[in-house]
Amino acid sequence: MDVIKENLSRLRVPGAGDKVFKDECIYSFDNPESDTGLYICMNRFLGVGARFLEKYSKRTDNRIFLHIKRTKKVVEETEVPEKVSRLAINMEGGFSTENKDQWIESTRVVVWPSMESFELSEAELPLQTQLSAAGILTAVSATKQAQVDAATGTWDGEVLVASKHAENLQQNPNPPQIPPSGWKCENCDLTTNLWLNLTDGKILCGRRNFDGSGGNNHALEHYKAGGGTGPLAVKLGTISRDGKGDVFSYDEDDMVLDPFLEKHLAHFGIQMGDCTKTDKSMVELQIEMNEKIGEWAVLTESGNKLQPLWGPGKTGIHNLGNTCYMNSVMQVLCSLPEICTCYSNNTFADRCDLQDPDSDLKLQMYKLCQGLSSGDYSRGTDKVEEAVLRDEGSQPGVKPVMLKNLIGRGHHEFSTNRQQDAQEFFLYLMTLIERAHRNSDVPSPSNLFKFCVEDRLECGGQVKYKTRNEFFLPFSIPLEAASNLADVEAFLQKKTEAEAKGEKLSLEDEVRHKVPFPAVLASFMGESIVSDIYSPALGSKVDGKQTVRLKTFPDYLLLSLSKYQVDINWKPIKLNVEVDMPEELDLSVLIGGGPQPGEDLMPEEEKPKEQIYENDAVVAQLMDMGFSREGCRRAVHFTKNAGADAATAWIMEHMDDPDFNQPLTIGGPKLTEVNVSEENIGMVMSMGFSIDQAKQALRNTDNNVERAIEWIFSHPEGESEPEPTFSQPTGDNHCQGLTNGNPKYKMIGFISHMGTSPQSGHYVCHIKDEDLKRWVIFNDNKVAVSEKPPKEFGYLYLYKRI
């Protein structure tokens, strides 16, 4: 008690601006439910695990902690768990990751290092101590809101949209009154898969599947026949009292939302408040099918009874709400010895940012790598039943909430709870890691993956070489090179004929393109046509031929199969394709040789003198609005004398620029450097462009995303070379600091995506375990021996130099 009284002035009550980290240790994934509980500093409000108390106390000189320990309460299961009926996470009818266990919580004030403890109700405990403890216990956790937000994210293959017909749907007068049960198709004897037309009240059966199951197409045929029928129908038996029901739009040919479903049903005497779901929804049927056949079953190996794994390097990561893309990338990265070695450096913990630990990327990477590699959060069968490990995954596993929040902070996509592209996440993570290590004594591990690309452009009989750095090698998939083209074409013809009849083919009959990897490599090595390239030899713009080779080969090479294309509506669609990726890879054919003897090198193009656009009348008009003369001159020039309206709009956008009122200077170095935001870089990269292209484009368009995308299309060669008076790196300088060696590799991991879009679906990863000589599947929190690693379905492949 004397120590508490001596340190009374250091004990604080959390204020409105204080973050209280009471859910998790800042150095590890220890929490109140861990064996030793969690210790909350009563001065800084930081959570500290028992094994880190000495480290923390020595650095901060804080010795008084609030100890929180939760013990699981044994509760008999009385409720029947609801069957998954929706492709969603932590939403009604969906997959639940919420912990429904009940806990008994105990709290005490603890003094370090004696570990003397006191009950909060103890009369001798000073009032300031009691107030501090009460404030910590009642404060909203710094990570709690982020966890809640993440847990409400959906996992929908296709997010439903409201039907265009819903608001003004015509419903026939004098409608039939629909009974609450006992339905039957009006054209046959089917009593299941029945659909109620929301316009005329007809009850008819649904579509016939190709194998003869399902309905008899009577609902579809009724709509096609016309005669006063409407475009929307609801599946009887899926209507529930909470206002939900499966609605299909024949006109839009898709499942839709009907925001006015309750009103539309009341027209037929159906009161939603009295309805009970009795039939399987369309999503539930799709889930059942996915569990048996198709891409999902193959990638998750759901047909096999997988042997769970645990211990060091076999720790699962909980899905925080559509974070499987992050989980898969982090598992692959943290499996690399170099990454683990880098982030096992105690400097990252000893010198971490105690003011804002959830903004310290090096600390969060240290924490995750240690958590995954130590085995501390992956108990074996000596403590956990094997059935629990198989069904629930690693015990207790890790939840990198702080890391997720840090990476998403300020990013327009990764800050949301929507599914994201694993490749984009990897690139953005590399950018953050490079920035975090910029002034660190520990070099960034990003150079393990970075390599130098050599672009060769030929036009007008001359050639030009340029180099750039990349983090992954993108391969397009030539579907025309599929070894089973005839089978694919026959399947597509059969599918078209079935859909014309209102039928659907079974997934078991699906035929995918099977493309051999040599064809993929040959396609990458081929020439691509680049339009509007200025040829000094011809003095005009012509089409050029471009080839890509590698100037360096990194220790770890990430390959990306471009399985997504853009349809006529500019929406990404996924190719249904298999590629037989080899476990060993020889990329000697991609070695770039630079300029060759006899080649006529393209001379450096002289930068034309920039034209100055002036218009005294417009300048005077703008000055009458109160703007400076130099600012108005800039507006006229940068809008190319397009008129007063365009110049005014430019002023509104740039009036806060630091050089707005400075004299207009054309040519030479720019007056100010454009600050390119990481958020805008991510937005441009999400369109499929590289990080170098994104930075160049934004730098040349005042950090404007829309203009940057246009700039890339109009500048296929990128930025013009800077003026020779400035010191600039040559092409070879791109190779400095990069790893390089033998271009022969072996596959050590791959990430697979299931679903129709990179913004939906689910990610899993497979990693080769050298000790087991087996592949291991990491499906969020579940870790198991892979029986049939689906290498042909991967999206990202990581190869290690042999």
Side-chain angles (χ1 to χ4, degrees):
M1 189 66 71
D2 292 339
V3 177
I4 292 179
K5 293 179 179 179
E6 291 171 3
N7 287 270
L8 206 57
S9 62
R10 302 177 68 93
L11 305 189
R12 298 173 52 234
V13 179
D18 288 315
K19 290 183 178 181
V20 179
F21 293 90
K22 61 179 181 178
D23 291 338
E24 189 176 274
C25 172
I26 61 171
Y27 301 111
S28 70
F29 291 99
D30 289 355
N31 57 55
E33 293 150 24
S34 300
D35 294 339
T36 55
L38 188 66
Y39 296 81
I40 317 299
C41 172
M42 300 181 75
N43 173 263
R44 290 177 175 264
F45 315 123
L46 299 176
V48 183
R51 49 203 170 122
F52 295 97
L53 283 173
E54 182 177 2
K55 176 194 294 287
Y56 177 82
S57 186
K58 282 184 176 180
R59 180 175 174 185
T60 64
D61 201 31
N62 288 321
R63 303 173 60 189
I64 313 300
F65 298 86
L66 176 65
H67 181 242
I68 303 177
K69 177 72 175 77
R70 298 194 190 108
T71 306
K72 186 181 293 187
K73 181 179 179 182
V74 179
V75 180
E76 292 185 6
E77 187 68 46
T78 57
E79 296 183 1
V80 177
E82 181 182 1
K83 182 173 175 59
V84 173
S85 59
R86 186 179 182 188
L87 281 174
I89 290 177
N90 291 330
M91 300 186 71
E92 184 174 347
F95 298 92
S96 176
T97 64
E98 296 175 352
N99 191 342
K100 296 182 180 179
D101 294 326
Q102 296 184 21
W103 301 84
I104 299 173
E105 183 174 278
S106 62
T107 54
R108 300 175 67 87
V109 175
V110 176
V111 177
W112 169 263
S114 67
M115 301 306 289
E116 185 181 6
S117 64
F118 304 90
E119 294 284 352
L120 296 183
S121 58
E122 216 164 298
E124 294 184 13
L125 206 61
L127 178 61
Q128 180 66 15
T129 308
Q130 294 178 341
L131 292 175
S132 177
I136 292 172
L137 291 173
T138 57
V140 176
S141 165
T143 57
K144 188 65 176 179
Q145 189 59 51
Q147 285 180 296
V148 171
D149 291 342
T152 58
T154 63
W155 177 25
D156 270 354
E158 299 292 340
V159 179
L160 300 182
V161 297
S163 170
K164 62 182 180 182
H165 302 290
E167 185 173 2
N168 300 309
L169 182 70
Q170 297 295 318
Q171 293 188 285
N172 294 351
N174 303 317
Q177 296 300 293
I178 306 300
S181 60
W183 311 300
K184 185 173 78 71
C185 175
E186 298 181 21
N187 291 355
C188 68
D189 295 328
L190 287 180
T191 57
T192 59
N193 192 19
L194 299 177
W195 295 77
L196 169 68
N197 191 287
L198 292 175
T199 292
D200 59 17
K202 290 281 188 180
I203 297 178
L204 299 164
C205 60
R207 298 179 187 240
R208 180 189 300 116
N209 296 325
F210 188 73
D211 60 0
S213 62
N216 292 318
N217 286 349
H218 288 144
L220 178 62
E221 291 171 357
H222 177 62
Y223 169 73
K224 289 183 175 180
T229 186
L232 300 185
V234 61
K235 186 178 183 184
L236 293 174
T238 66
I239 306 167
S240 58
R241 61 174 56 92
D242 60 358
K244 296 184 177 67
D246 281 4
V247 178
F248 188 83
S249 171
Y250 295 108
D251 177 55
E252 296 159 284
D253 193 28
D254 206 349
M255 299 297 297
V256 295
L257 292 178
D258 180 1
F260 308 94
L261 182 59
E262 185 172 6
K263 181 185 76 171
H264 293 155
L265 290 173
H267 185 72
F268 301 104
I270 301 176
Q271 301 301 318
M272 293 194 73
D274 300 330
C275 292
T276 302
K277 181 178 177 294
T278 59
D279 198 1
K280 294 177 181 177
S281 68
M282 299 304 290
V283 172
E284 186 176 357
L285 292 171
Q286 184 64 49
I287 291 174
E288 287 187 355
M289 187 66 72
N290 286 338
E291 290 174 348
K292 299 175 183 177
I293 56 178
E295 184 183 52
W296 289 62
V298 174
L299 293 179
T300 59
E301 302 186 50
S302 60
N304 302 301
K305 187 176 182 180
L306 302 180
Q307 178 65 38
L309 296 173
W310 58 87
K314 309 294 187 301
T315 304
I317 304 176
H318 287 273
N319 194 312
L320 305 176
N322 290 321
T323 56
C324 54
Y325 67 92
M326 179 184 79
N327 295 351
S328 296
V329 171
M330 299 312 300
Q331 285 285 14
V332 172
L333 291 181
C334 292
S335 71
L336 306 182
E338 294 87 345
I339 297 291
C340 288
T341 299
C342 172
Y343 290 110
S344 63
N345 194 319
N346 288 326
T347 300
F348 299 140
D350 296 337
R351 301 179 184 177
C352 69
D353 183 358
L354 294 180
Q355 190 69 30
D356 205 3
D358 57 349
S359 295
D360 188 336
L361 180 64
K362 296 190 293 294
L363 172 64
Q364 297 308 321
M365 290 295 293
Y366 163 89
K367 180 175 171 179
L368 182 61
C369 281
Q370 295 301 305
L372 295 180
S373 62
S374 65
D376 293 339
Y377 306 97
S378 183
R379 302 189 184 109
T381 51
D382 57 330
K383 295 184 178 180
V384 184
E385 292 182 6
E386 183 174 320
V388 174
L389 293 178
R390 179 175 287 109
D391 295 337
E392 301 179 15
S394 295
Q395 299 296 313
V398 299
K399 296 179 180 179
V401 179
M402 291 188 191
L403 177 65
K404 200 286 185 177
N405 293 343
L406 188 160
I407 294 174
R409 191 170 298 140
H411 192 281
H412 71 292
E413 288 293 346
F414 298 129
S415 59
T416 70
N417 299 315
R418 296 189 296 270
Q419 183 65 277
Q420 303 299 333
D421 187 342
Q423 176 182 290
E424 293 179 14
F425 175 80
F426 171 78
L427 288 176
Y428 187 59
L429 179 63
M430 290 298 105
T431 300
L432 295 182
I433 287 177
E434 288 191 329
R435 184 190 306 163
H437 284 263
R438 191 167 296 159
N439 297 316
S440 173
D441 296 334
V442 181
S444 168
S446 60
N447 279 355
L448 291 169
F449 312 97
K450 188 185 292 186
F451 55 94
C452 185
V453 174
E454 177 185 278
D455 294 313
R456 180 184 184 274
L457 181 66
E458 179 179 355
C459 67
Q462 297 179 318
V463 296
K464 182 178 184 178
Y465 288 86
K466 294 183 68 175
T467 57
R468 54 188 166 88
N469 290 340
E470 295 291 350
F471 280 110
F472 72 95
L473 193 60
F475 283 154
S476 298
I477 303 176
L479 296 181
E480 66 278 4
S483 59
N484 63 336
L485 265 183
D487 295 337
V488 172
E489 292 173 357
F491 166 74
L492 294 176
Q493 178 65 29
K494 186 186 297 184
K495 181 180 179 182
T496 301
E497 294 173 355
E499 291 176 347
K501 299 176 183 178
E503 302 172 352
K504 287 189 176 182
L505 295 181
S506 168
L507 288 176
E508 293 177 321
D509 298 324
E510 189 173 42
V511 179
R512 301 181 181 88
H513 289 83
K514 296 183 178 180
V515 181
F517 179 75
V520 175
L521 183 59
S523 176
F524 178 84
M525 294 181 62
E527 296 177 339
S528 59
I529 303 300
V530 182
S531 302
D532 294 330
I533 299 298
Y534 179 77
S535 170
L538 301 178
S540 61
K541 289 187 175 182
V542 296
D543 288 346
K545 295 183 293 185
Q546 185 176 28
T547 56
V548 178
R549 296 293 184 267
L550 271 61
K551 201 170 182 66
T552 65
F553 290 83
D555 288 348
Y556 293 94
L557 180 63
L558 185 68
L559 302 186
S560 168
L561 294 187
S562 302
K563 291 190 172 183
Y564 300 98
Q565 294 181 346
V566 178
D567 63 13
I568 58 175
N569 297 317
W570 290 92
K571 293 182 179 180
I573 57 174
K574 186 177 178 181
L575 301 178
N576 197 9
V577 63
E578 301 177 21
V579 179
D580 62 334
M581 295 297 293
E583 289 217 20
E584 292 195 359
L585 196 59
D586 186 350
L587 296 178
S588 300
V589 293
L590 291 183
I591 297 176
Q596 300 297 307
E599 286 184 333
D600 185 7
L601 297 181
M602 196 180 299
E604 294 295 331
E605 183 179 357
E606 292 186 8
K607 191 173 183 180
K609 187 176 181 180
E610 187 174 352
Q611 177 183 352
I612 299 178
Y613 294 90
E614 294 187 289
N615 189 319
D616 292 339
V618 174
V619 169
Q621 185 177 347
L622 296 174
M623 290 177 65
D624 289 341
M625 300 180 189
F627 302 111
S628 70
R629 176 177 179 78
E630 290 303 327
C632 297
R633 288 187 64 213
R634 285 175 173 274
V636 170
H637 171 72
F638 288 112
T639 57
K640 298 183 179 180
N641 199 17
D645 290 342
T648 303
W650 187 93
I651 288 176
M652 294 298 104
E653 186 176 348
H654 295 273
M655 60 189 303
D656 292 328
D657 290 355
D659 58 350
F660 179 76
N661 296 311
Q662 295 182 16
L664 176 65
T665 303
I666 304 302
K670 294 184 179 180
L671 293 174
T672 58
E673 183 70 23
V674 177
N675 292 319
V676 178
S677 70
E678 294 297 333
E679 179 181 359
N680 286 355
I681 290 175
M683 292 178 69
V684 175
M685 289 173 61
S686 69
M687 301 293 292
F689 302 112
S690 70
I691 188 171
D692 287 342
Q693 287 176 306
K695 288 181 177 178
Q696 288 181 12
L698 290 167
R699 198 162 50 235
N700 283 276
T701 56
D702 294 325
N703 200 34
N704 184 290
V705 173
E706 291 77 13
R707 289 167 54 203
I709 294 172
E710 295 178 2
W711 187 92
I712 292 175
F713 284 118
S714 60
H715 296 76
E717 290 188 278
E719 284 181 319
S720 302
E721 297 293 334
E723 293 290 335
T725 53
F726 294 99
S727 174
Q728 58 172 322
T730 62
D732 287 340
N733 284 349
H734 282 97
C735 305
Q736 292 181 0
L738 305 185
T739 58
N740 190 24
N742 183 14
K744 294 183 179 180
Y745 292 88
K746 63 178 180 180
M747 187 190 302
I748 60 170
F750 62 95
I751 297 172
S752 307
H753 173 266
M754 57 202 84
T756 57
S757 165
Q759 278 73 47
S760 62
H762 185 56
Y763 285 95
V764 299
C765 71
H766 288 72
I767 299 173
K768 188 68 173 288
D769 188 294
E770 294 299 336
D771 295 330
L772 296 175
K773 304 300 180 185
R774 299 286 299 274
W775 285 91
V776 176
I777 179 174
F778 292 80
N779 185 0
D780 285 335
N781 196 41
K782 296 182 179 179
V783 184
V785 175
S786 174
E787 297 296 335
K788 297 179 180 179
K791 295 188 289 293
E792 68 276 13
F793 285 106
Y795 171 38
L796 301 174
Y797 296 85
L798 186 63
Y799 284 83
K800 179 181 180 180
R801 190 196 324 281
I802 297 177

